[in-house]
Amino acid sequence: MSTLDQISVKIINPLSTQATQADGLSGNADAILHEIVALLEAYTSTGEMGAIDLRSLPLTPADYELLRDTLSEGEVHAHINAIGNSDIHETCYPGVWWLTYYNADGDTVAELLEITSVPQILKAPEEDMREGLARLRDRLTQLE
Amino acid sequence: MNEPDTLGASLTRSGVSRRSFLKFCTAMASLMALPPSAAYAMADALNRAQRQSVIWLSFQECTGCVESLTRSFDPTLEQMIFEMISLDYQETLQAASGEAAELARKQAMKSSYGKYVLIVDGSIPTKDGGVYSTIAGISNYDMLVETAKGAAAIVAVGTCSAYGGIPHANPNPTGAVAVSDIIKDKPIMNVPGCPPIPSVIAGVLAYFVTYGKLPELDHIGRPKVFFADTIHDRCYRRPFYDQGKFAKTFDDEGARNGWCLYELGCKGPTTYNACATIKWNGGISFPIESGHGCLGCSEPNFWDKGSFYQPLPTPLADNAPVIAAATLGGIAVGTVAAVVSRKHQADISTKEEK
Ligand code: SF4
Ligand code: SF4
């Protein structure tokens, strides 16, 4: 390596570092975005899924907005109705899912980012399928 | 009593899908600040677990703790708790009364001896042979000692059973004491609060059923998952404290601007509880958000620590230079103040333990 320009430099989008405290950014949104990168790397190389609890770091409204803006909405949207609603959408980075769980009264009870191909809660659990199968069989005998 | 039944099976029977269950576990894990992966482990363990037999004894109390749990604003939470546990004896909620009720307690004790969790709310009067509170002619003291024998662990719910609470307040006419003053040979977890936050009660129960043991406790027996931070550590008025902006009366300009309530007697800096994060009434607000300082209800002897409206004496002295500096210097000082208050807290507690 003889000249400076041969040293590879990885530019990380400075995001909130360019903003001042007056914008209400704490730097935690940044931290989360970098964690997503690490988790995506892990998933694509080893298949190990990851998740981030959005309550684990205090986020200011501005942090939150930055996170929403940066991740934005992707192609898949799902709605689950289990002890209250849950909203799930893929962000514009495939495999990065934003999950919001509400209780029966509509209050948010958990908010997560999952890094995986399909969030666990979307998959039909086998035990429930077996139980559903039994119910469907019953129904058919009733109809006969 | 109940034949052994896994929680998974009983949930399916009552129409709770596994998705619902996973969601409940995720919410619980998030509440307890466990890593998200714990939710799956929790769902898995709970699914295979047997419903935890629970005997709940109510002693010298106001029933506020049971009210807090059963009138929680989240019907699902309440439903899930009662799916998770088999509440084999609880005077306020059970249908049985009189001799049948006492029989229910004996039966519950017999059928899961050594395995049941004993929940206690209320303090135990010890003066004059414990006559000040009796159930079916048995003193609270005797009933506690007898029922504790077969318990795997004891959960003292509410400040009364945890630290004596209001009945213990000066001059303590009934000689009220905490569970841990009487029982010395069982693991005891204190879940104080007057009353405790319903999801905190639910969370610690979920933890016990999942892991088969109590979570890590602090120096006065509280689960760290909920009681690691002070109200002040997480208070949204904290930036004003750090800037030295204090309301001086409940109706001055400072109060209207939402400034810190420290000088109006807020005990947030020495109070360990989850109100500032979990909040009350389904997450709507908590006392400080409603304009009143924290009373310190999850701390031992909160009733006897002087006026609720007098500023904390020692930290004010300790913090005076800190606050002054904060006025000039900005937020970095906040951490220092927290450390000071924590140290003060530790001092108070060690003094009280004696
Ligand atoms: S003293 Fe009370 S009101 Fe002020 S920041 Fe601390 S907890 Fe909040
Ligand atoms: S804010 Fe303080 S007094 Fe009020 S409920 Fe919470 S710990 Fe108790």
Side-chain angles (χ1 to χ4, degrees):
Chain A
M1 222 173 269
S2 55
T3 55
L4 272 182
D5 54 14
Q6 281 177 296
I7 300 173
S8 72
V9 174
K10 193 168 153 203
I11 305 240
I12 298 167
N13 182 1
L15 292 169
S16 67
T17 42
Q18 64 195 241
T20 58
Q21 280 229 322
D23 296 332
L25 289 165
S26 69
N28 285 344
D30 248 19
I32 288 182
L33 290 169
H34 282 107
E35 195 178 343
I36 294 174
V37 171
L39 290 175
L40 262 179
E41 276 168 6
Y43 189 80
T44 46
S45 58
T46 68
E48 192 195 332
M49 49 178 274
I52 299 169
D53 185 343
L54 284 179
R55 283 201 227 175
S56 61
L57 276 178
L59 294 174
T60 63
D63 289 333
Y64 202 82
E65 215 178 291
L66 175 69
L67 214 51
R68 280 253 181 233
D69 274 1
T70 316
L71 295 176
S72 158
E73 301 223 355
E75 293 165 328
V76 183
H77 224 117
H79 180 80
I80 297 176
N81 195 344
I83 53 166
N85 290 329
S86 302
D87 259 330
I88 295 168
H89 72 258
E90 196 169 20
T91 66
C92 67
Y93 304 101
V96 180
W97 304 83
W98 190 305
L99 298 86
T100 315
Y101 294 157
Y102 303 94
N103 66 12
D105 294 331
D107 312 312
T108 305
V109 293
E111 198 162 29
L112 302 167
L113 293 172
E114 264 186 43
I115 289 79
T116 178
S117 53
V118 184
Q120 209 65 19
I121 199 157
L122 275 181
K123 297 179 188 160
E126 257 177 58
E127 296 98 324
D128 284 0
M129 287 170 73
R130 273 196 289 275
E131 192 258 340
L133 171 66
R135 268 191 292 125
L136 184 56
R137 282 206 181 109
D138 269 6
R139 184 91 183 99
L140 286 180
T141 36
Q142 275 168 26
L143 288 178
E144 267 159 23
Chain B
M1 293 208 67
N2 302 290
E3 59 252 28
D5 190 1
T6 65
L7 191 54
S10 97
L11 284 170
T12 315
R13 236 184 304 108
S14 51
V16 177
S17 74
R18 273 163 179 81
R19 277 198 191 98
S20 299
F21 192 49
L22 187 59
K23 181 169 160 182
F24 171 79
C25 293
T26 310
M28 277 294 150
S30 171
L31 207 63
M32 290 190 270
L34 299 171
S37 55
Y40 299 117
M42 203 162 158
D44 201 42
L46 277 179
N47 197 18
R48 278 179 283 113
Q50 255 153 44
R51 289 173 77 200
Q52 174 66 48
S53 163
V54 169
I55 297 180
W56 185 316
L57 300 179
S58 292
F59 295 147
Q60 201 165 237
E61 40 85 43
C62 67
T63 316
C65 298
V66 181
E67 289 281 329
S68 173
L69 179 64
T70 57
R71 313 217 175 233
S72 84
F73 277 64
D74 191 342
T76 340
L77 181 70
E78 186 193 322
Q79 187 200 345
M80 282 306 221
I81 296 164
F82 291 115
E83 294 295 346
M84 242 159 33
I85 63 174
S86 154
L87 193 54
D88 297 329
Y89 178 91
Q90 211 301 344
E91 277 182 349
T92 316
L93 304 176
Q94 72 193 0
S97 64
E99 279 170 19
E102 280 319 289
L103 197 65
R105 180 171 64 90
K106 297 257 154 118
Q107 270 176 357
M109 281 177 64
K110 210 165 116 209
S111 61
S112 30
Y113 201 82
K115 286 185 290 200
Y116 58 82
V117 169
L118 172 60
I119 298 183
V120 179
D121 66 323
S123 63
I124 303 98
T126 55
K127 221 183 196 163
D128 301 329
V131 294
Y132 297 105
S133 177
T134 62
I135 297 161
I138 310 166
S139 74
N140 291 170
Y141 184 96
D142 290 342
M143 191 177 278
L144 173 65
V145 170
E146 186 192 351
T147 319
K149 280 201 188 104
I154 303 177
V155 183
V157 164
T159 304
C160 294
S161 60
Y163 309 124
I166 295 174
H168 180 82
N170 192 28
N172 191 1
T174 65
V177 299
V179 172
S180 57
D181 290 328
I182 297 171
I183 307 296
K184 302 287 182 192
D185 58 349
K186 293 282 174 184
I188 299 177
M189 168 166 59
N190 291 328
V191 186
C194 193
I197 302 172
S199 19
V200 170
I201 307 178
V204 293
L205 287 177
Y207 190 102
F208 187 86
V209 178
T210 308
Y211 299 104
K213 60 169 190 188
L214 298 178
E216 203 192 328
L217 306 177
D218 73 2
H219 65 291
I220 47 172
R222 295 174 293 199
K224 284 188 180 168
V225 281
F226 291 112
F227 294 88
D229 297 324
T230 62
I231 300 288
H232 185 66
D233 287 337
R234 301 298 195 97
C235 180
Y236 75 104
R237 293 190 193 234
R238 181 58 183 275
F240 292 119
Y241 174 94
D242 293 334
Q243 292 161 21
K245 290 184 174 154
F246 301 101
K248 309 281 182 194
T249 64
F250 282 105
D251 56 358
D252 68 359
E253 202 203 333
R256 275 195 296 278
N257 290 334
W259 290 358
C260 171
L261 303 172
Y262 185 90
E263 294 191 1
L264 291 172
C266 180
K267 305 293 182 282
T270 51
T271 304
Y272 288 76
N273 204 346
C275 305
T277 42
I278 300 177
K279 302 191 177 174
W280 283 90
N281 295 341
I284 287 176
S285 81
F286 71 114
I288 292 170
E289 207 167 340
S290 311
H292 196 287
C294 168
L295 304 183
C297 78
S298 54
E299 296 297 323
N301 300 330
F302 76 102
W303 204 253
D304 286 334
K305 286 181 174 166
S307 162
F308 289 145
Y309 301 101
Q310 210 82 98
L312 282 165
T314 319
L316 192 59
D318 275 353
N319 285 359
V322 176
I323 293 169
T327 324
L328 306 168
I331 23 181
V333 185
T335 348
V336 182
V339 172
V340 172
S341 67
R342 237 174 230 214
K343 170 145 187 319
H344 175 70
Q345 168 70 18
D347 294 346
I348 292 176
S349 312
T350 32
K351 257 180 249 145
E352 267 154 9
E353 267 157 20
K354 288 179 200 135

